[in-house]
Amino acid sequence: MTGAPGSRTVLVTGAGGAAAVTLLRALRDRYRVVAADIDPHAVGLYLADPGDRVLLPRGDDPRFVDALLEAARTHGADLVVPTVDVELLEVSRRTDDFAAHGIRLLVEGPTTLGTCLDKWALMQACADTVRVPATVLLEGGTTDDEVAALGTPFIVKPRSGAGGRGFAVLPDVAHLDGVPRDGSQILQEWLPGEEFSVDVLARPDGHVVAAVPRRRDKVDSGIAVAGRTVADPALVTFGRTVAEAIGVVGVVNVQVRRAVDGTPALLEVNPRFPGTMALTVAAGVDMPRLAVAAAFGDPVPDHVEFAEVAVVRHWDEVLVPVAEYCDVPSADPVPAALGAAT
């Protein structure tokens, strides 16, 4: 059985993702954990006890938040932690509905999420506090001169979206043919230096407890599979400053790349637990436990130091009895087969 008898219950969504797996492993010896996903094969489901696994509709399904609330109520959850980008904003907007049932949420507020999920808004919000790449919103009135000012090559990517979808490096303005000029895309200067992810933990009062830079040494399908933490004061300060500028009250991941002159510049902010959180935990900052404790109102230190460590990631297995395999109930108000569809 996960957690101690009488312990609080934490429901984690996106149980098939690396971030949720790290959360479930970090929390299950201290709390009762409930794992939720759209897929009955999601590995994180099997890190929870058989009765604490649930299927949900997709995060972009209009039924999702109601199904999540019902699952949280049914399982007696004290705290819900959404880990999938598409879930975050609608869940955050329903904070009062969860609170009416005594359920807390570990998620950024709608304003912070709106800023992070809109890359154009993020650049504007942070331009006065940290270096951001030169950025142009691609609209009908955007001129070739504005694009040329970015230099070559330059970047095009969707104003919203995750996982690098729609990202491209273009050699010149002629290659913009076919890219929609409707305000849905942004253009940015190319940053040629090393890329880092800075995991940042803030308390609900906005105080930043820790910022841990990680160098992404090898990336596979958008996920870092090898890397190390880096004790670089400039990167630490950069991550803290961005988090303060956008009002972070939990855990976010600040992505940074060095410009031509070597200074860090902002790429984007993922307003959720990152997939490589296990490296940050190994470096001495147990952000899952600290963030959950803070969400419950428990004391959390003002500052936590980290060590330089490296990681190479590999496949792992969770073995379960055949009787438990895919035997996961649905919290969706439609049949389980539909709730599990991808």
Side-chain angles (χ1 to χ4, degrees), residues 233-273:
L235 292 173
V236 171
T237 298
F238 192 100
R240 295 176 63 93
T241 302
V242 170
E244 291 166 354
I246 62 176
V248 171
V249 293
V251 173
V252 301
N253 169 249
V254 179
Q255 292 193 329
V256 181
R257 187 183 286 271
R258 294 195 187 278
V260 174
D261 61 2
T263 59
L266 180 63
L267 290 179
E268 59 187 70
V269 177
N270 299 308
R272 51 164 173 74
F273 284 89

Side-chain angles (χ1 to χ4, degrees), residues 83-197:
T83 70
V84 182
D85 287 314
V86 72
E87 303 169 353
L88 303 175
L89 188 55
E90 292 306 315
V91 171
S92 183
R93 286 171 174 163
R94 296 278 297 277
T95 296
D96 290 345
D97 292 340
F98 283 83
H101 296 281
I103 302 168
R104 302 171 188 245
L105 296 175
L106 179 47
V107 66
E108 299 302 319
T111 300
T112 298
L113 287 171
T115 300
C116 294
L117 299 174
D118 181 340
K119 296 178 178 63
W120 173 247
L122 179 66
M123 294 301 122
Q124 293 177 308
C126 296
D128 291 337
T129 54
V130 296
R131 177 166 180 172
V132 302
T135 305
V136 172
L137 183 63
L138 187 59
E139 299 177 296
T142 303
T143 67
D144 287 353
D145 287 343
E146 289 178 289
V147 178
L150 299 175
T152 56
F154 61 88
I155 301 300
V156 60
K157 58 186 176 183
R159 184 171 172 173
S160 62
R165 288 181 289 274
F167 172 93
V169 181
L170 302 183
D172 54 52
V173 67
H175 286 75
L176 278 176
D177 289 348
V179 179
R181 292 176 175 260
D182 58 2
S184 67
Q185 308 290 315
I186 61 171
L187 311 177
Q188 291 184 313
E189 67 172 299
W190 167 247
L191 303 173
E194 287 184 306
E195 183 175 341
F196 301 87
S197 288

Side-chain angles (χ1 to χ4, degrees), residues 61 67 75 87 91 95 105 109 129 175 178 199 202 211 219 240 286 297 303 309 320 326 329:
D61 190 309
H75 289 270
E87 303 169 353
V91 171
T95 296
L105 296 175
T129 54
H175 286 75
D199 297 336
V219 178
R240 295 176 63 93
D286 197 334
H303 179 71
V309 295
V320 297
C326 293

